[in-house]
Amino acid sequence: MDMRKLVDRLNRYAYEYYVLDAPTVSDAEYDKLYDELRAMERESGTVLFDSPTRRVGGEPIKAFRRHEHIARLYSLDKAVTEDELDAFFTRVEKVCKDPEYTVEYKFDGLTICLTYEGGKFVRAATRGNGTVGEDVTAQVLTIKSYPLSISYKGTLEVKGEAIIRLSVLEEYNKSASEPLKNARNAAAGAIRNLDPAVTAARRPEILFYDVNYMSEGELSSQEEAVAFLEREGFKTFRRMRLCKTPQEVKDAIAEIDVSRKKIDVLTDGAVIKVNDFSAREALGYTDKFPRWAIAFKFEAEEAVTQVKNVVWQVGRTGKLTPLAEVEPVELAGATVRKATLNNLGDIRRKDVKIGSKVLIRRSNEVIPEILAAVEHTGASVDIAAPETCPYCGSPIAEEGANLFCPNRACRPRVAAMLAHFASKGAMDIEGFSEMTACQLIDRLGVRHCSDLYFLDRKALSSLEGFGEKKVRNLLSAVEGSKNIPLDRFIFALGIGGIGKVASKDLAERFQSVEALASAAAETLVEMENIGEKTAENIVRWFADEENRAELSRLLSAGIRPYVKQARAGGPFSGESVVLTGTLSRFKRSEAQARIEELGGVCQSAVTSKTTLVIAGESAGSKLEKAKALGVKIVGEEEFIKILSENGIDIK
Ligand SMILES: [Zn+2]
């Protein structure tokens, strides 16, 4: 056999083995042919460019050379909550009509960029700062999950993640004098090692996912880019999902969240990209990130348990939420007994039944959620949708995936509405709980939030547990709530889809309830973070007769929503400030109030508009983002100093 044929054959075997995970020859047979090639090369003194013998890696190098990337390698903006994800969809859908998204695993390793010229592999570099990376060609040459020669003849840069499989890491650690802590560090350490022999010994792979640059020809979508990579012999992770709606994206993310535990590669999230490249062009970039992609990071803890029963709860909008009672299970330091299923559509989609084993996740303070059914038992039974409200017996209305009790006087609905109205971020009526709400409904016939401002002292005293002091405190808390920042009043109204952040935006934009009440949907949609559906909710809420009547009762009861006028020329005037981490001397809301008092505007997330970040203990991704964006950062001590210089002393 001639040398060319032998090299081709060995490369095909390697491709089947390393890229396709489907070897067609035994290791012994491969080794025999490989030795034959080595002998032939020694004898003739020639080594073909793409000979597998080049992949042993060569001598250790002294230092990494810098390499400037042809096209900048962007990192991705991150989302950790569904809200942040929704904000991404809203931004995209303002620019693109019916965008398609791809959803891929987000591998946790080291990003690598490979350059080809004239069909030949010429260089591998780390991402570095996106513009300049380190030349790791000698190290990457020892990896076999990509071709040395390709059919594309222009200049090409492809991007992938260097990873070490979890099983490979485990095996390595069994005999290593110094075990490697985790797969991410192991991958980075393997590639960024001056001795290619060390790289080879740790057996990293590269999984490719992007074409970063091509000098000739054009690709039109992510789908095409991945197909191109596969055609040219690069190893991709063949599990990319194509989604047509945000809901499909969320389902794909949930699916990845389940399946990632069964794969041999460390993943810490999912990457969502707009599929179509012309849509990407329309969306463009911020100074740091592409606007057409986002990385969703999983930060929560999960466990498997069994569903015992499902009850339907009526919320303040009348929406029925199925709540699963589960076998108690330990999760993130707490015993979980209940988990939400969101709605009927969710139950069907996740195929959850009573008796099913399910995967639940608990993140931050929210109630745990059921992500998926993992197994049905013989006794599993379908969860039936109620036809009438389990509390008031009204016939249920169906709206999309949701069920509603249409009865505005339905007891749990009124109780939830009152509790929300009085809650901390809303009117902040101290001492008012959902239990108080139930007593007021049952005993005093309270139906509306405005009724709280017309409570009778004597009637209150007749309630169980309402001593003189409690009555006095409640009445004065109610009275005190009349003077309220506009954004909190908007939040208190409980308009569907309007959280605290949107309330702040709306208050800032409209400056009064009256102006908000008469805002047209088109005006609302112009705001950065208000989508069509939310705009419609707002317009519909204010158009409703009963809501209007309630609003005017609230205002005539003496509620005076105000817009804070910041102190002009304060040290924070003109600053967009983000608080992150834990502050030891303040509650977050206090710190925010101080910043606003001194002229600053508080934001919840670091964006390109952020000008200052105040970072407390164990600040996380927001701080990193601020650093990446070059935003000014101050610590708690310096913050306190600024305050005291401006006459605000902190105990
Ligand atoms: Zn009801």
Side-chain angles (χ1 to χ4, degrees):
M1 200 183 311
D2 71 10
M3 192 187 266
R4 179 71 258 168
K5 276 203 178 125
L6 191 51
V7 166
D8 286 346
R9 183 186 280 196
L10 282 164
N11 281 344
R12 179 159 56 82
Y13 291 155
Y15 170 73
E16 288 165 351
Y17 186 91
Y18 291 104
V19 178
L20 301 182
D21 289 322
T24 57
V25 291
S26 68
D27 290 0
E29 203 169 327
Y30 180 90
D31 291 346
K32 190 173 142 267
L33 289 172
Y34 185 89
D35 291 342
E36 221 171 276
L37 175 65
R38 286 286 298 271
M40 215 186 267
E41 287 176 347
R42 261 198 307 270
E43 220 167 278
S44 66
T46 36
V47 176
L48 292 181
F49 168 76
D50 52 351
S51 167
T53 62
R54 289 189 62 221
R55 299 193 116 148
V56 293
E59 295 298 306
I61 56 172
K62 293 223 162 51
F64 293 111
R65 271 180 307 151
R66 283 159 44 90
H67 168 68
E68 203 162 313
H69 300 296
I70 301 175
R72 181 168 162 187
L73 269 70
Y74 281 91
S75 59
L76 296 183
D77 201 358
K78 288 179 189 61
V80 291
T81 63
E82 200 168 333
D83 278 356
E84 288 170 328
L85 204 54
D86 285 334
F88 168 72
F89 293 132
T90 303
R91 286 197 300 273
V92 168
E93 281 162 26
K94 276 189 181 189
V95 178
C96 313
K97 197 173 152 42
D98 302 327
E100 272 186 342
Y101 301 93
T102 58
V103 181
E104 303 161 58
Y105 286 82
K106 181 175 181 301
F107 297 117
D108 208 1
L110 183 73
T111 304
I112 296 288
C113 178
L114 266 54
T115 309
Y116 288 79
E117 274 163 19
K120 292 179 174 177
F121 167 71
V122 292
R123 192 185 308 102
T126 61
R127 199 186 79 84
N129 63 8
T131 311
V132 177
E134 287 171 337
D135 188 321
V136 287
T137 308
Q139 288 72 15
V140 166
L141 207 47
T142 65
I143 302 173
K144 301 181 181 70
S145 57
Y146 66 91
L148 291 179
S149 58
I150 56 174
S151 71
Y152 178 81
K153 296 296 180 240
T155 300
L156 177 74
E157 276 198 349
V158 298
K159 209 162 109 177
E161 193 80 353
I163 54 102
I164 290 186
R165 289 188 179 268
L166 299 171
S167 55
V168 170
L169 180 70
E170 197 179 336
E171 205 178 305
Y172 177 90
N173 278 346
K174 272 183 202 159
S175 58
S177 54
E178 248 185 83
L180 299 167
K181 245 170 60 196
N182 62 50
R184 181 199 310 116
N185 295 352
I191 304 291
R192 298 188 62 255
N193 194 296
L194 294 171
D195 186 356
V198 173
T199 313
R202 294 197 187 168
R203 293 161 58 205
E205 286 172 43
I206 304 177
L207 298 172
F208 293 87
Y209 53 81
D210 260 336
V211 173
N212 199 51
Y213 173 82
M214 67 197 312
S215 61
E216 287 151 40
E218 224 171 62
L219 297 166
S220 67
S221 67
Q222 181 67 16
E223 246 186 324
E224 258 188 51
V226 170
F228 169 82
L229 289 171
E230 287 177 359
R231 220 166 38 237
E232 289 287 9
F234 292 93
K235 180 156 195 157
T236 64
F237 201 77
R238 295 174 170 71
R239 304 277 283 273
M240 190 174 78
R241 292 133 178 93
L242 192 64
C243 301
K244 296 197 187 304
T245 63
Q247 187 56 54
E248 282 183 28
V249 171
K250 289 178 190 175
D251 291 347
I253 292 172
E255 190 202 325
I256 283 178
D257 201 4
V258 175
S259 59
R260 73 192 173 109
K261 282 155 194 124
K262 299 177 206 149
I263 63 172
D264 199 17
V265 186
L266 184 67
T267 52
D268 62 347
V271 174
I272 301 105
K273 295 173 185 159
V274 172
N275 186 36
D276 185 68
F277 285 2
S278 58
R280 288 186 183 183
E281 220 163 281
L283 282 155
Y285 296 80
T286 67
D287 45 356
K288 187 72 189 169
F289 307 114
R291 288 183 197 276
W292 42 261
I294 198 157
F296 185 82
K297 293 195 79 170
F298 301 120
E299 284 199 328
E301 289 199 51
E302 294 159 11
V304 170
T305 185
Q306 191 167 13
V307 176
K308 292 198 297 189
N309 191 23
V310 169
V311 295
W312 295 80
Q313 290 192 316
V314 179
R316 62 186 158 84
T317 58
K319 191 178 137 185
L320 266 68
T321 304
L323 188 70
E325 294 168 2
V326 298
E327 276 306 327
V329 60
E330 287 303 311
L331 195 55
T335 305
V336 170
R337 293 190 167 79
K338 285 173 179 164
T340 180
L341 274 158
N342 298 314
N343 56 45
L344 188 64
D346 207 40
I347 292 177
R348 300 283 178 258
R349 204 168 48 240
K350 293 172 178 170
D351 190 29
V352 174
K353 301 174 182 190
I354 291 168
S356 306
K357 288 243 165 68
V358 292
L359 185 67
I360 62 175
R361 171 164 69 191
R362 177 166 179 259
S363 53
N364 308 326
E365 73 281 17
V366 297
I367 53 167
E369 182 187 13
I370 293 185
L371 295 176
V374 283
E375 191 191 331
H376 297 307
T377 60
S380 294
V381 287
D382 281 338
I383 296 162
E387 283 171 13
T388 55
C389 173
Y391 301 93
C392 70
S394 305
I396 290 299
E398 219 173 312
E399 236 181 80
N402 293 312
L403 303 177
F404 286 88
C405 168
N407 176 12
R408 284 181 189 244
C410 183
R411 182 175 180 270
R413 184 174 165 174
V414 177
M417 179 183 73
L418 290 172
H420 169 78
F421 181 80
S423 69
K424 217 163 163 22
M427 303 305 279
D428 197 10
I429 300 174
E430 212 170 314
F432 190 97
S433 64
E434 191 148 348
M435 217 172 83
T436 318
C438 290
Q439 282 179 291
L440 297 185
I441 294 165
D442 295 344
R443 302 284 311 281
L444 304 184
V446 166
R447 288 285 171 271
H448 301 107
C449 299
S450 57
D451 294 342
L452 299 182
Y453 295 89
F454 301 97
L455 288 173
D456 179 57
R457 181 181 296 265
K458 213 162 154 201
L460 268 182
S461 312
S462 72
L463 298 180
E464 196 181 329
F466 276 72
E468 193 188 324
K469 191 170 165 211
K470 187 165 177 178
V471 170
R472 195 172 56 234
N473 286 348
L474 181 61
L475 288 175
S476 84
V478 167
E479 185 61 30
S481 74
K482 287 180 179 173
N483 203 19
I484 184 91
L486 177 60
D487 61 301
R488 281 178 35 196
F489 183 64
I490 294 171
F491 178 61
L493 293 177
I495 304 168
I498 303 297
K500 288 177 196 172
V501 176
S503 300
K504 262 192 192 293
D505 290 348
L506 291 169
E508 211 171 285
R509 168 72 177 77
F510 291 99
Q511 302 278 313
S512 75
V513 199
E514 292 76 14
L516 174 61
S518 54
E522 301 82 69
T523 318
L524 290 160
V525 166
E526 277 167 22
M527 295 176 58
E528 192 178 7
N529 290 319
I530 303 287
E532 264 173 50
K533 218 174 139 200
T534 311
E536 200 184 300
N537 275 347
I538 296 170
V539 171
R540 225 177 16 196
W541 195 94
F542 284 107
D544 181 276
E545 279 305 323
E546 289 196 36
N547 289 341
R548 290 169 80 98
E550 169 68 353
L551 182 61
S552 80
R553 275 195 301 269
L554 286 167
L555 296 176
S556 61
I559 294 176
R560 291 283 165 265
Y562 65 91
V563 180
K564 268 186 237 170
Q565 294 304 331
R567 195 198 292 180
F572 296 127
S573 75
E575 304 267 24
S576 292
V577 188
V578 173
L579 284 164
T580 179
T582 314
L583 299 174
S584 61
R585 315 259 303 264
F586 305 83
K587 279 196 245 167
R588 185 165 286 239
S589 55
E590 284 169 0
Q592 279 173 351
R594 299 293 170 253
I595 292 163
E596 281 165 8
E597 213 175 301
L598 296 179
V601 175
C602 292
Q603 296 177 313
S604 57
V606 176
T607 69
S608 56
K609 288 180 195 151
T610 309
T611 58
L612 179 68
V613 167
I614 295 169
E617 276 299 302
S618 54
S621 60
K622 286 182 192 174
L623 180 60
E624 268 168 43
K625 194 167 169 184
K627 281 181 183 160
L629 286 169
V631 175
K632 187 181 172 195
I633 298 160
V634 303
E636 183 171 8
E637 285 312 311
E638 197 174 340
F639 177 49
I640 290 171
K641 202 172 137 227
I642 296 171
L643 294 182
S644 78
E645 282 167 2
N646 286 275
I648 299 172
D649 281 318
I650 303 301
K651 291 158 279 195

